[in-house]
Structure formats: C-alpha cells, structure tokens
Amino acid sequence: MQTDPLSTAFSALADPTRRAMLARLSMGEATVNELAEPFAMTLPAVSKHLKVLERAGLVSRGRNAQFRPCRLEAGPLKDVAAWMEQYRRFWDDSFDRLDDYLKQIQHKERSDDA
Amino acid sequence: MQTDPLSTAFSALADPTRRAMLARLSMGEATVNELAEPFAMTLPAVSKHLKVLERAGLVSRGRNAQFRPCRLEAGPLKDVAAWMEQYRRFWDDSFDRLDDYLKQIQHKERSDDA
DNA sequence: TCTGTATTTTACCAATTAGCTAATTAACCT
DNA sequence: AGGTTAATTAGCTAATTGGTAAAATACAGA
C-alpha cells in the first residue's frame, strides 16, 4: 500500500461502508457496535474497517469502560480538499466568476481597512 | 473492488503515480509515453494506471495515428468535491463565518431585487 | 512490404485487502 | 469468582492490485 498520508486517506475513503461510518460519525461519537449495526457484516469486519479509518487519521477512539467510542477527525479531509482545490477550475463552472467576485471583495475590504 | 462511481474515483486517486498523471494532464493532453516519462516504471505499468483512471472516468483518450492522447475529465472530481462538501464544517474554520456571510449576501441581493 | 515507434495484451508473481469463524481480551455487574 | 457484553486478534480463503517480461497490435514512412 501507499505510505503517503494523502493516498492513505483516499484509499480509506474508497469504500462505501467506511464512508457510511464517517457519515454516522459526523452526527456524533459512536461505539463499534453502533457503527456496525446498519451493516450485514460481522463485527471483526467492522473493526478492520475502523482500523483503516484510524490509520488514515480519519477516526480517533477514546476509552469509556468497555466501550471504545469513535469520533470523526477531519484533518485528512482538509488535505484531500486542498488537493482537490487545484482542479476546481475543471469542474466548477462558476469558479472563474466566483474567483473574480472574491477578488473584488478582498479589494473592497482592503480599501475599507485603509 | 467497489462498483459505485464514488468509490472507484477515490480508489483511482489513492495512488501518487496516478495523481501525478492527473497533475500532468491538468496542463494539457499527453500521450502515454509523455505521461510515463517521469516515472521509474515500465510502460505496461503506466498503461494499467491509465486504465484505472479511465475506468474511473477521470481520463478519456482520443486517437491520433499510433498515439492515444489522454485528457483530464473532471466529472468524477466534481462528485468527490460534492461528497467532501458535507464535511466542510469539520475542517474549515472559516466555514461558519463564510456561511453567515453568504447568507447575508443572498439576503442583500434579495432585497436589492425587491 | 518491411521497419521502427507507440501502445496494449498476456502470463505470471508477490503483496494486500476484505470477508468469514473461532478464540481471546477487557470491563462491567452480580 | 462467574456471566455478559464490547471489541480485538488469529488464522483461513478468495479476490484485487501493482509490478514485470515477452509477445502482439496498430500505425507511419521508406
């Protein structure tokens, strides 16, 4: 497997089960059993998916009695988004217009400061 | 492998070689040999990577004599970006402020219309 | 038609991944 | 201590991935 963080993140996201787990975690912490509940899959399989997400830094886990609550960590998502940004002009039709607009805003704010 | 387009796209992006190829293609069309040039890798290996990108819809290819020029197709990137968008609030500190700001703008424009 | 260039296909190998079941560890509660 | 629940580890199999070398295909030009 790749060792660079960006590849690890992309690879962790390349699975619908793992993306669904992240979606669940975006609504708050959850235990492994709670995360596993919607899936027709054994608990060890879920545990493995979690480890993939954890290794990618997308999930961290605490300790609460016999539970190991998982929570979303968005750092890697930020890196992915930053990578995506360089391609925005290829898919965002309004990018050029928005870009112009933001430049205008910045310009305006700068003259407001003065 | 997964069959859903989003997983296929993420999975195609989870390799530094393939991301480098996309970066090269973002500067314009290129042949397989041109794409292969920076890599310490045989041509068939590059060809396989290209097929992965093609299957993900990230690259399309034309035909020009014995050359098969590749070009970037950004559709799947748009889908990835759309998926990312639902997590933006977790990593973009300025998201809330920007969100408020955009709401203000919209409100202002609406009253301008009236 | 022959030759060289561009690219793909085939056959093969090693490493990884995703799933399972069974066994194990950890922590709680009587 | 004993029983229950939460979660992980171990060991297996099957499928996939990423690479190679060698052969095959497609085209251009002499």
Side-chain angles (χ1 to χ4, degrees):
Chain A
M1 190 211 274
Q2 310 304 335
T3 54
D4 64 296
L6 196 50
S7 297
T8 306
F10 271 123
S11 159
L13 294 174
D15 182 293
T17 301
R18 290 194 288 261
R19 289 199 305 279
M21 287 174 175
L22 290 182
R24 166 65 186 79
L25 290 177
S26 76
M27 303 176 14
E29 293 198 355
T31 66
V32 178
N33 268 293
E34 283 166 350
L35 282 172
E37 200 273 326
F39 304 107
M41 196 183 296
T42 61
L43 217 45
V46 170
S47 194
K48 279 193 184 179
H49 280 301
L50 269 172
K51 199 175 293 181
V52 171
L53 289 169
E54 207 177 356
R55 219 159 49 86
L58 285 159
V59 158
S60 67
R61 2 197 23 180
R63 191 95 191 227
N64 181 6
Q66 69 270 59
F67 305 92
R68 248 134 293 189
C70 308
R71 72 177 156 283
L72 182 62
E73 295 289 341
L77 291 179
K78 185 169 186 165
D79 297 337
V80 168
W83 181 88
M84 296 287 297
E85 221 28 60
Q86 76 189 112
Y87 295 94
R88 175 180 289 273
R89 61 192 166 106
F90 292 103
W91 51 261
D92 190 346
D93 293 337
S94 67
F95 177 69
D96 290 340
R97 271 183 297 130
L98 179 62
D99 190 47
D100 291 347
Y101 180 67
L102 292 177
K103 283 202 180 85
Q104 263 186 296
I105 299 286
Q106 283 184 323
H107 189 275
K108 186 167 183 300
E109 282 180 350
R110 222 177 302 120
S111 32
D112 285 354
D113 289 348
Chain B
M1 188 211 276
Q2 309 304 336
T3 55
D4 64 296
L6 196 51
S7 296
T8 306
F10 271 122
S11 161
L13 294 173
D15 182 292
T17 301
R18 290 194 288 263
R19 288 198 305 278
M21 288 175 175
L22 290 181
R24 167 64 186 79
L25 289 177
S26 75
M27 303 175 16
E29 294 199 354
T31 66
V32 179
N33 267 296
E34 284 166 351
L35 283 173
E37 200 274 327
F39 304 108
M41 195 183 297
T42 60
L43 220 44
V46 170
S47 193
K48 277 195 185 179
H49 280 301
L50 269 172
K51 199 174 292 181
V52 172
L53 290 170
E54 208 177 355
R55 220 158 49 83
L58 285 159
V59 158
S60 68
R61 357 194 31 177
R63 191 95 192 229
N64 181 7
Q66 69 270 59
F67 305 93
R68 246 131 294 187
C70 309
R71 73 176 154 284
L72 182 62
E73 295 289 340
L77 291 179
K78 185 168 186 166
D79 297 337
V80 169
W83 182 87
M84 296 288 297
E85 217 34 55
Q86 78 188 108
Y87 296 93
R88 175 181 289 273
R89 62 192 166 107
F90 292 103
W91 50 264
D92 189 346
D93 293 337
S94 68
F95 177 70
D96 290 340
R97 272 183 296 128
L98 180 61
D99 191 48
D100 290 349
Y101 180 66
L102 291 177
K103 284 202 181 84
Q104 263 187 297
I105 299 284
Q106 284 183 323
H107 189 276
K108 186 168 183 301
E109 283 182 348
R110 224 178 301 120
S111 31
D112 285 353
D113 290 348

